[in-house]
Amino acid sequence: MRPGLPCRIAPHRSGRRNRPSTNLVEKQKGIDVPSFLRIQDIADILIMTLLLYQLYSWFRRTRAMQVLLGLGVVTVIYFVTRFLGLYMTSWVLQELGTVLIVLIIVVFQAEIRQALYRFSLMRHFFGSRQETQQLSRFQEIVDTLFSLAKKRTGAIVVFQRSESLVDQMLNGVSLNCEITPQILEAIFYDGAPLHDGAALIREGKIALASCHLPLSQNPELPQFYGTRHRAALGLSERTDAVVAVVSEERGEVSLAVGGELHRLSSAGELVALLEELILPEKEKPRESLRQRFFSNLLPKTAVLLIVIAFWALITSRQGAIATVTAPVRLHGIPQGLVLLRSSPEEVEVQVKSFSSLTPTPAKLDIAADIDLSEVREGAAIVRIRNSDFKLPSGMVVGSVNPSTIRIVTEKKVRKTVPVRVALRGRLPRGLGAYRVVASPDTVEVEGPSGQISKLETVSTEEVDASKLVKGTEYQKNLLPPYKNVTILRDEPLVLKLVSRRSLHQ
């Protein structure tokens, strides 16, 4: 098999093809199928648990959570049907899953963008940093909010923390002014141009006013919550912002944090919460590792069990164990050497896949890529290692037959040799005093020292002498004398008729 061709299933000596085995505990030709968890499996489960729990934390109070749950149910059904061999149902669900993923990306692009922003480890370097709010202004803001509540004047104030709110707060009017009770009351005064919307507190100033916020899609919210409360919850569900809202109907002050709404009974309680939530991270008490581990233990345990169930479902059916024929590809030969021979050109490789979800070995381009950068001149035996085969994740090499290849290398040399014009037939009448010569009449060749030392001339392509015309030039290529000898000239030679007399002169 030539290098680059896809591998094929190697037949047994009886002439029948190998059939993949799906036995979890069998041993074939030295392959030990492990019956315990590998370190990679544990890491796989923990990483997926962390990712899924983060997704749950970000989307649990949004409308995207219901869609994700529905998608999870469809995924479970797909794996069950695949496990049971229901090919038509699993195929339909697989095709449907592709369409659903595209729809989810289109419909929930804002939530996905915010989740990716939260997940990014570099956002603290390139995104907005948590600025230290002027804590002395908290009392003025809180007193103003409770004053508005007594007057039954609705208001909504957003305190930005570490995450950017550019994509969430729309149509705002830039103010960038100092925080004073008079300005806050003027913004939310009923009938004022900026009263219909939210005010953004950023870096100790009123940055924006009359901003539109995304509404919460949580179906469990009480019916008496109006647009202001749903807007406050909607922003807190998507970002880490803290939102204070004043109810126009009930004269209450509430605080929305992380998708939850807290009703506040006094100004002191709101001041304490704001100082706790917006205090710089370096001044906040850090949670211990034990506290982080055991917090929200129930959803963490549920996510872990779901991941383990999926892992068991995926890996419960072992993939094929098959013997394939793979070509041997040699590379990295030292510059001063030439490879003369290598044997064999193909090897039989036993490949095992850990899951039925991995592609079958017959569909892969499996080859032994062997590095010869360490070989020396002469004959050598090179061992074929498992790492010489590039396999996708979830597949391993069990055995290789033969496990070594034999190579012969020789020193590479250069030599200048004359060019011989290969003629067929005789020259036409009247041209007997002429001779066919090549220009140039010598050429440089490169190759193994043994072959180069025996090389006396290099021939051109055959020329029909009977068709040559005096005064006409012909272009012909040179023919390599040996397989491993290289002619160091790319352009064709020029052939022409020259009188013998002029040659002697």
Side-chain angles (χ1 to χ4, degrees):
M1 181 181 292
R2 296 189 304 271
L5 293 178
C7 60
R8 62 179 185 273
I9 299 296
H12 282 295
R13 294 182 179 179
S14 60
R16 293 179 299 176
R17 293 177 179 266
N18 284 335
R19 294 184 178 271
S21 172
T22 57
N23 194 336
L24 282 173
V25 296
E26 69 179 349
K27 298 181 180 180
Q28 292 188 4
K29 295 186 180 179
I31 289 185
D32 295 329
V33 181
S35 58
F36 51 87
L37 284 176
R38 303 174 301 160
I39 296 179
Q40 295 92 325
D41 298 330
I42 298 176
D44 197 11
I45 293 173
L46 293 179
I47 291 173
M48 287 305 303
T49 301
L50 176 62
L51 293 178
L52 290 181
Y53 179 75
Q54 287 297 328
L55 289 176
Y56 164 77
S57 301
W58 295 333
F59 294 122
R60 60 177 176 173
R61 296 185 183 276
T62 66
R63 59 194 178 102
M65 188 62 191
Q66 298 179 358
V67 179
L68 290 177
L69 290 176
L71 187 61
V73 172
V74 173
T75 304
V76 171
I77 297 175
Y78 165 73
F79 280 113
V80 171
T81 55
R82 186 184 177 95
F83 181 83
L84 297 177
L86 306 178
Y87 300 112
M88 184 182 71
T89 306
S90 61
W91 178 82
V92 171
L93 292 177
Q94 182 177 356
E95 298 300 321
L96 181 62
T98 304
V99 178
L100 288 177
I101 291 175
V102 175
L103 290 177
I104 288 174
I105 293 176
V106 173
V107 176
F108 300 104
Q109 54 181 317
E111 288 85 351
I112 294 173
R113 183 169 59 250
Q114 192 66 24
L116 292 176
Y117 174 78
R118 289 183 177 184
F119 191 72
S120 174
L121 299 177
M122 301 298 292
R123 64 189 175 94
H124 295 295
F125 294 95
F126 301 106
S128 59
R129 292 188 175 182
Q130 176 175 326
E131 301 289 343
T132 304
Q133 304 283 356
Q134 298 182 13
L135 301 183
S136 60
R137 300 289 189 185
F138 283 168
Q139 190 65 49
E140 297 178 357
I141 298 173
V142 170
D143 291 341
T144 303
L145 292 177
F146 275 88
S147 175
L148 293 172
K150 290 180 180 179
K151 300 175 184 179
R152 298 297 177 97
T153 300
I156 180 169
V157 178
V158 178
F159 298 88
Q160 179 173 323
R161 295 203 287 177
S162 63
E163 295 183 8
S164 174
L165 304 178
V166 175
D167 296 332
Q168 303 294 335
M169 304 188 66
L170 306 176
N171 303 325
V173 177
S174 178
L175 296 180
N176 198 29
C177 62
E178 297 295 330
I179 302 174
T180 63
Q182 293 81 7
I183 294 178
L184 287 175
E185 290 185 358
I187 290 175
F188 295 110
Y189 178 75
D190 191 12
L194 303 180
H195 85 285
D196 188 15
L200 173 63
I201 306 297
R202 182 175 61 200
E203 301 179 17
K205 294 183 178 181
I206 304 177
L208 299 172
S210 189
C211 297
H212 295 173
L213 306 182
L215 300 180
S216 174
Q217 300 296 325
N218 187 357
E220 299 179 0
L221 291 179
Q223 294 296 327
F224 60 82
Y225 280 161
T227 304
R228 286 192 181 89
H229 292 80
R230 294 182 181 274
L233 286 171
L235 184 63
S236 68
E237 289 170 354
R238 292 167 172 81
T239 68
D240 67 343
V242 178
V243 187
V245 57
V246 177
S247 172
E248 183 177 354
E249 293 79 8
R250 297 181 302 278
E252 298 173 349
V253 179
S254 305
L255 194 67
V257 184
E260 297 181 357
L261 196 65
H262 307 274
R263 186 186 304 173
L264 303 170
S265 57
S266 64
E269 184 180 1
L270 179 55
V271 170
L273 282 175
L274 291 177
E275 291 182 354
E276 179 184 354
L277 294 170
I278 309 178
L279 202 64
E281 291 290 339
K282 62 181 182 180
E283 298 182 17
K284 291 183 179 180
R286 299 185 62 180
E287 291 183 340
S288 64
L289 184 61
R290 180 183 179 86
Q291 291 175 329
R292 292 182 180 181
F293 183 81
F294 287 102
S295 62
N296 298 326
L297 190 58
L298 183 59
K300 289 179 180 178
T301 305
V303 172
L304 178 60
L305 293 177
I306 292 173
V307 171
I308 292 176
F310 269 101
W311 179 87
L313 186 63
I314 292 173
T315 59
S316 60
R317 293 186 66 184
Q318 294 292 304
I321 301 177
T323 301
V324 298
T325 301
V328 176
R329 300 172 182 171
L330 306 177
H331 60 87
I333 301 173
Q335 188 174 1
L337 296 180
V338 177
L339 179 65
L340 295 181
R341 296 183 300 276
S342 66
S343 179
E345 296 183 354
E346 296 175 343
V347 294
E348 290 187 353
V349 187
Q350 192 176 73
V351 181
K352 175 179 174 57
S353 58
F354 286 109
S355 172
S356 58
L357 298 181
T358 57
T360 58
K363 295 181 179 180
L364 299 175
D365 182 15
I366 300 176
D369 291 313
I370 301 177
D371 184 14
L372 300 181
S373 58
E374 300 296 330
V375 300
R376 297 181 181 180
E377 183 181 359
I381 296 177
V382 180
R383 184 173 183 82
I384 303 177
R385 300 169 298 178
N386 290 355
S387 58
D388 294 330
F389 298 90
K390 305 302 181 184
L391 300 178
S393 178
M395 302 184 71
V396 295
V397 174
S399 62
V400 181
N401 184 32
S403 60
T404 60
I405 62 170
R406 181 179 179 83
I407 64 170
V408 179
T409 59
E410 209 170 278
K411 185 178 180 182
K412 182 191 298 183
V413 296
R414 289 187 179 184
K415 181 181 179 181
T416 301
V417 296
V419 174
R420 185 180 69 85
V421 180
L423 294 177
R424 184 180 74 249
R426 296 182 179 183
L427 293 173
R429 285 185 179 183
L431 297 181
Y434 286 83
R435 182 181 176 184
V436 182
V437 297
S439 177
D441 58 356
T442 60
V443 68
E444 193 174 20
V445 295
E446 182 181 72
S449 58
Q451 296 179 357
I452 296 295
S453 62
K454 301 176 183 179
L455 191 61
E456 299 296 336
T457 60
V458 176
S459 299
T460 65
E461 295 174 327
E462 193 174 57
V463 180
D464 188 354
S466 62
K467 295 183 180 180
L468 297 180
V469 179
K470 184 177 66 172
T472 303
E473 294 183 348
Y474 305 90
Q475 291 187 346
K476 290 294 180 178
N477 293 316
L478 292 169
L479 300 177
Y482 300 108
K483 177 182 177 181
N484 297 308
V485 173
T486 303
I487 300 174
L488 302 180
R489 180 181 175 85
D490 297 328
E491 299 177 356
L493 297 180
V494 177
L495 305 183
K496 58 184 178 179
L497 290 171
V498 179
S499 66
R500 297 178 186 274
R501 183 181 301 176
S502 63
L503 288 176
H504 292 302
Q505 292 177 354

